[in-house]
Amino acid sequence: MATGTPARAPIKWQVARLVERRVETPTAQTLVLEVPDWPGHLPGQHVDVRLTAPDGYQAARSYSVAGPAVDGPDGPRIEVTVQRVPDGEVSPYLIDVFGAGDPVEVRGPLGGWFIWRSEDTAPVQLVAGGSGIVPLMAMIRARRAVGSKVPFRLIYSVRTAQDVIYADELRRRGRDDFGLDVAYVYTREAPDGWRGEPHRVGLADVNTHGWPPDLEPLTYVCGPTGFVEAVADLLVGLGHSSRRIRTERFGPTG
């Protein structure tokens, strides 16, 4: 008779329904989905969302869960933030067509590496590029929800101030969440009052707004592939252990 850890049951597709949407930027929206059989998740995990056309054609994409699940009248609710992808198969439908009460298939939670656990007491360093803020925002929200005192530092790289996802909430949390520092890097156009010229995340940004390597922070980097690789290389070059750097990346978004 075989012994050992029992095999984990496969994660199945289930039907979720849209109950609310929020506009975040001209190209990004947050969708609140009611998922009756949601098993719970950790900050940083994601879900697969699948659409099926009348002719049977299916398309699926992965989206990070943007925060803790909350209880709704008909079951748990989760949030995903969708960035429009030009000529995409899924995001234009979710942003332009998907209506309140409409069903969509979801599967999750998925991912066991790019997660933050509240019992980890190391300082946390978050570096986001564009919509890469979504799983990092889940960590920021979870930190507040559990009352954690672990210090967080976020460096958020965006093209312009109009491209900041969760802008109002980040402004509020940067002011009110003790131990959370938020810094921005603008790559195309900087707002009035921001020091310096638009640029990509560089040595000065990480030295000024990140944690020094001797504190051994746990670092999460999320964004387009080129951004993630450049930031990870920069961090290692500054002396951060690659074993303390967790990355999640996605392809170009146009």
Side-chain angles (χ1 to χ4, degrees):
M1 179 176 178
T3 60
T5 303
R8 180 180 176 183
I11 299 175
K12 298 181 179 180
W13 292 98
Q14 59 176 305
V15 175
R17 294 187 182 274
L18 179 68
V19 295
E20 181 186 344
R21 72 167 64 240
R22 296 191 301 273
V23 175
E24 303 289 355
T25 73
T27 60
Q29 296 183 10
T30 291
L31 309 179
V32 182
L33 303 175
E34 195 163 67
V35 191
D37 296 322
W38 187 248
H41 65 279
L42 294 170
Q45 289 188 299
H46 63 274
V47 295
D48 288 340
V49 176
R50 184 169 70 182
L51 306 178
T52 302
D55 64 1
Y57 175 77
Q58 294 183 321
R61 297 292 184 272
S62 295
Y63 294 102
S64 296
V65 184
V70 298
D71 291 329
D74 297 312
R77 295 179 175 184
I78 62 171
E79 296 184 4
V80 297
T81 299
V82 178
Q83 179 92 47
R84 179 193 296 278
V85 177
D87 301 320
E89 291 187 301
V90 175
S91 63
Y93 173 86
L94 294 177
I95 288 179
D96 298 329
V97 181
F98 194 39
D102 286 351
V104 69
E105 289 183 287
V106 300
R107 179 176 63 181
L110 303 169
W113 168 248
F114 196 82
I115 58 174
W116 177 70
R117 299 180 184 274
S118 58
E119 57 267 28
D120 194 325
T121 58
V124 172
Q125 186 166 245
L126 309 171
V127 188
S131 60
I133 186 62
V134 180
L136 308 187
M137 191 64 174
M139 298 175 191
I140 291 171
R141 289 169 169 170
R143 173 186 181 271
R144 178 61 181 265
V146 301
S148 171
K149 303 301 182 184
V150 171
F152 273 38
R153 289 185 177 180
L154 168 66
I155 301 173
Y156 187 7
S157 174
V158 289
R159 294 175 178 177
T160 72
Q162 290 70 41
D163 297 307
V164 176
I165 300 174
Y166 317 125
D168 291 342
E169 183 178 355
L170 282 171
R171 189 179 303 111
R172 183 179 72 252
R173 289 186 181 277
R175 180 193 65 211
D176 299 338
D177 286 14
F178 180 77
L180 169 65
D181 295 321
V182 180
Y184 296 95
V185 174
Y186 301 96
T187 62
R188 288 195 179 177
E189 181 183 343
D192 293 340
W194 190 72
R195 292 185 177 183
E197 296 295 324
H199 63 274
R200 299 183 184 277
V201 172
L203 179 65
D205 302 299
V206 177
N207 276 336
T208 301
H209 303 296
W211 294 109
D214 59 314
L215 292 182
E216 298 185 340
L218 187 55
T219 300
Y220 299 86
V221 186
C222 186
T225 297
F227 170 87
V228 170
E229 292 175 350
V231 171
D233 288 345
L234 179 62
L235 290 166
V236 171
L238 287 172
H240 290 270
S241 170
S242 60
R243 292 176 296 178
R244 304 286 291 172
I245 301 172
R246 300 183 181 184
T247 62
E248 188 162 274
R249 63 198 74 195
F250 48 82
T253 56

